[in-house]
Amino acid sequence: MTVQTEQMMTAAPGGEEKRYDVVVVGGGAAGLSGALTLARARRSVLVIDAGRPRNAPAAGVHSYLTREGTPPAELLAAGRAEVTGYGGEIVTGHVTAAERPESGGFRVVLDDGSAVLADRLLVTTGLVDELPRIPGLAERWGREVLHCPYCHGWEVRDQAIGILATGPLAVHQALMWRQWSKDVTFFLHTAPELGRDGYEQLAARDIAVLDGHVTALEVTDDRLTGVRLADDRVIPCRALAVTPRFVARADVLTGLGLEATEQEVNGHVIGSHIAADATGATAVPGVWVAGNVAALTEQVIGAAGAGVRAAAAINADLIAEETRRAVAARRASLSAETEREADGHRHGR
């Protein structure tokens, strides 16, 4: 988080924990878009960001209209400035727990021991990519080791692309990457048996299939040049597509009774996520999720849109509650006035 947009979290008068309409946990595209929408709706909003953006290794954000190729850190810095420009607050910190106090709403506890109160929560903590365990692979993640062709395909077009097959969706992945290059090699690695259809589809698209486990990456001048197989063959490769297991960062929600569940694509589990409706509302009233913690395959622009939708739903929910309270207060006031008038008549006044 950049220092110039960060604000210090202060306690409410009297040393009490400060209360916000909404606390946003996570300061990526989803969280900042939600916070911006809420701040413009004149809500008090605090963003708590641990400073661990998933796309930090990437050179740029792609398929984000008017922001194509923008470095991730630059996009986030601009977003933070917009949020604070409308009165939103942003702090760096790691949320360790979210609780339901007896006073209502939520209590959000940080790792430094501080805590804030919120009427609503928006959790946009993203996910963790669990990568295949191959020496050198994690170090190239987001550079030449990739998973999304819509995010990185153009940048490696017409280059030698390898597909590290680790699961049943590997054939689908290879056929997708074939759109960006004619030079695609399918490394069977630890994938299950492809079957006749799988081999036929790869052959029809001129995708070479190689047996054997990939044991290491070959890097020259800080650039991927090939992959090494268990039999010591080195196959030239300029980009390597992998399929991580996408694991939602959802520990903060455990104390509220929300557990991550499996998410499937084409009948195959690709990771875990927090289930929610189209607006991001979870099974716990008052808690919304947006971005990759809810939708594992969401790109940056989609995560930003999800943050906006969740924020609008949260604002509508707050408006409904405030209206209910106002109606109840009005009825109570009218009832008291009627009672006073009746009492006056009884006493001849």
Side-chain angles (χ1 to χ4, degrees):
M1 177 171 295
T2 54
V3 175
Q4 58 266 34
T5 62
E6 182 178 339
Q7 299 184 17
M8 297 302 294
M9 188 166 59
T10 57
E16 297 178 357
E17 292 166 346
K18 191 171 181 179
R19 191 175 199 97
Y20 295 85
D21 291 331
V22 186
V23 168
V24 180
V25 184
L32 291 175
S33 294
L36 178 62
T37 303
L38 289 161
R40 283 177 50 81
R42 309 188 74 176
R43 294 295 179 186
S44 59
V45 57
L46 172 69
V47 179
I48 305 173
D49 182 31
R52 298 180 300 168
R54 178 191 178 206
N55 62 355
V61 171
H62 298 292
S63 300
Y64 197 131
L65 194 62
T66 77
R67 293 294 181 266
E68 172 61 34
T70 301
E74 184 178 318
L75 184 73
L76 294 182
R80 293 178 187 127
E82 290 174 355
V83 170
T84 57
Y86 282 99
E89 299 178 36
I90 301 175
V91 297
T92 299
H94 176 69
V95 174
T96 58
E99 310 163 343
R100 274 196 178 279
E102 293 183 3
S103 58
F106 303 93
R107 184 172 184 265
V108 180
V109 183
L110 282 73
D111 54 358
D112 64 359
S114 63
V116 292
L117 302 175
D119 292 326
R120 301 292 186 274
L121 285 184
L122 173 56
V123 177
T124 62
T125 43
L127 59 81
V128 175
D129 298 285
E130 291 187 350
L131 300 171
R133 294 184 178 180
I134 295 175
L137 188 143
E139 289 75 12
R140 313 308 300 180
W141 176 241
R143 300 171 66 184
E144 303 97 8
V145 176
L146 313 166
H147 85 280
C148 173
Y150 295 105
C151 300
H152 304 286
W154 177 264
E155 283 64 42
V156 297
R157 65 193 184 281
D158 300 325
Q159 299 181 31
I161 300 174
I163 307 298
L164 185 69
T166 56
L169 294 175
V171 170
H172 169 73
Q173 185 182 38
L175 295 173
M176 288 185 66
W177 282 95
R178 178 63 177 77
Q179 174 66 23
W180 282 266
S181 176
K182 295 179 180 179
D183 187 357
V184 177
T185 301
F186 188 94
F187 297 101
L188 278 169
H189 195 52
T190 60
E193 177 58 39
L194 301 185
R196 175 181 292 182
D197 288 347
Y199 281 109
E200 184 178 39
Q201 290 175 34
L202 295 175
R205 295 293 284 156
D206 297 320
I207 297 173
V209 179
L210 295 182
D211 292 321
H213 287 193
V214 173
T215 57
L217 304 187
E218 296 293 309
V219 178
T220 303
D221 296 329
D222 197 31
R223 185 73 171 81
L224 179 67
T225 56
V227 298
R228 184 176 294 275
L229 298 177
D231 60 8
D232 225 27
R233 284 180 295 166
V234 176
I235 310 300
C237 183
R238 302 293 288 182
L240 183 65
V242 304
T243 302
R245 177 176 171 82
F246 306 120
V247 180
R249 286 182 178 142
D251 290 348
V252 65
L253 294 170
T254 303
L256 298 176
L258 280 174
E259 298 284 348
T261 59
E262 291 183 340
Q263 181 170 333
E264 296 184 356
V265 170
N266 297 332
H268 302 292
V269 176
I270 62 171
S272 63
H273 74 130
I274 295 295
D277 70 10
T279 71
T282 70
V284 174
V287 179
W288 275 257
V289 290
N292 288 138
V293 71
L296 302 181
T297 59
E298 196 76 270
Q299 291 180 261
V300 177
I301 193 168
V308 172
R309 287 193 298 275
I314 291 170
N315 189 52
D317 192 49
L318 286 168
I319 289 172
E321 180 177 326
E322 290 160 353
T323 302
R324 286 193 298 271
R325 290 178 178 175
V327 168
R330 182 176 184 275
R331 288 175 178 173
S333 176
L334 291 174
S335 178
E337 183 178 345
T338 301
E339 181 62 28
R340 284 194 299 271
E341 290 177 353
D343 186 62
H345 288 308
R346 283 195 297 271
H347 292 83
R349 294 196 298 268

